[in-house]
Amino acid sequence: MTRLLVVCTANLVRSPFTAAALTRSIPHYYDIDSAGLAAVEGEQLPPEILQDMRRYVMDLSKHRSRRVTLDDVRSSALILGMTEAHRDALQTMLPAATPRTFTLIEFVRLVETVPPLSQHDGKVERLVAAAHRQRPRVEAHQVPEDVADPLGKATQRVAACIDQLAD
């Protein structure tokens, strides 16, 4: 089974929501997981965040935070960080993973410039390789391609982050 990994800092908002959204929207033969670079193992999502996620009919009440491992990075065909700092830390953790490690926004931007997954024989590894090849060809945005961390911020910031991820 092809493994996809979504990474943020605490594994309490951005990465679990994105992993759940991907799980709902793409075929079931992908193993989609989330983790955090600085996660405290076993933490639950705060109730107000669970409530915001329920607007998208997602119940993540059973989610428990966990820290990303080297094995996670080694075994994933695609790794999506929420910020450029996450991407860079993951690439430092395992330089060989650089061609398959992106920010979420960067990956979406690059994938829009290549043929769809169906034209890559349905193999996400081929789509990821095509997106990686586009990195030097497609001009990066001048602003960071980050999804800001809403943890500990006002409720409106949490809702705005979840809306951004859903888009």
Side-chain angles (χ1 to χ4, degrees):
M1 186 176 288
T2 302
R3 187 157 196 254
L4 311 180
L5 180 66
V6 185
V7 178
C8 67
T9 304
N11 191 221
L12 288 173
V13 181
R14 296 170 292 175
S15 59
F17 180 84
T18 302
L22 287 171
T23 299
R24 276 185 25 178
S25 63
I26 62 176
H28 296 290
Y29 44 84
Y30 294 106
D31 174 24
I32 303 169
D33 200 2
S34 69
L37 286 166
V40 175
E41 295 285 333
E43 283 193 354
Q44 293 180 294
L45 276 69
E48 64 277 7
I49 291 172
L50 284 171
Q51 187 63 33
D52 279 329
M53 290 180 180
R54 284 190 182 107
R55 289 184 300 126
Y56 289 96
V57 194
M58 289 195 198
D59 180 8
L60 292 170
S61 60
K62 294 188 182 355
H63 174 78
R64 300 296 177 267
S65 62
R66 68 179 198 83
R67 189 177 290 254
V68 68
T69 66
L70 186 56
D71 188 53
D72 289 330
V73 177
R74 265 193 204 108
S75 65
S76 297
L78 172 62
I79 306 157
L80 299 171
M82 292 293 117
T83 68
E84 292 174 1
H86 296 143
R87 179 198 59 210
D88 297 348
L90 292 158
Q91 291 172 340
T92 299
M93 184 185 286
L94 185 65
T98 295
R100 50 197 166 85
T101 306
F102 304 82
T103 69
L104 174 65
I105 294 171
E106 173 190 29
F107 187 69
V108 168
R109 176 176 53 81
L110 293 170
V111 163
E112 289 174 345
T113 69
V114 300
L117 182 61
S118 61
Q119 291 185 23
H120 292 279
D121 299 324
K123 297 194 183 295
V124 76
E125 295 88 349
R126 290 183 182 171
L127 179 67
V128 170
H132 175 66
R133 285 191 301 274
Q134 290 296 95
R135 279 179 160 153
R137 294 182 183 104
V138 177
E139 185 177 327
H141 294 296
Q142 297 302 312
V143 296
E145 295 184 299
D146 294 350
V147 176
D149 190 354
L151 201 57
K153 305 287 192 295
T155 304
Q156 304 91 304
R157 290 277 306 271
V158 173
C161 175
I162 292 170
D163 290 343
Q164 179 186 11
L165 291 169
D167 287 345

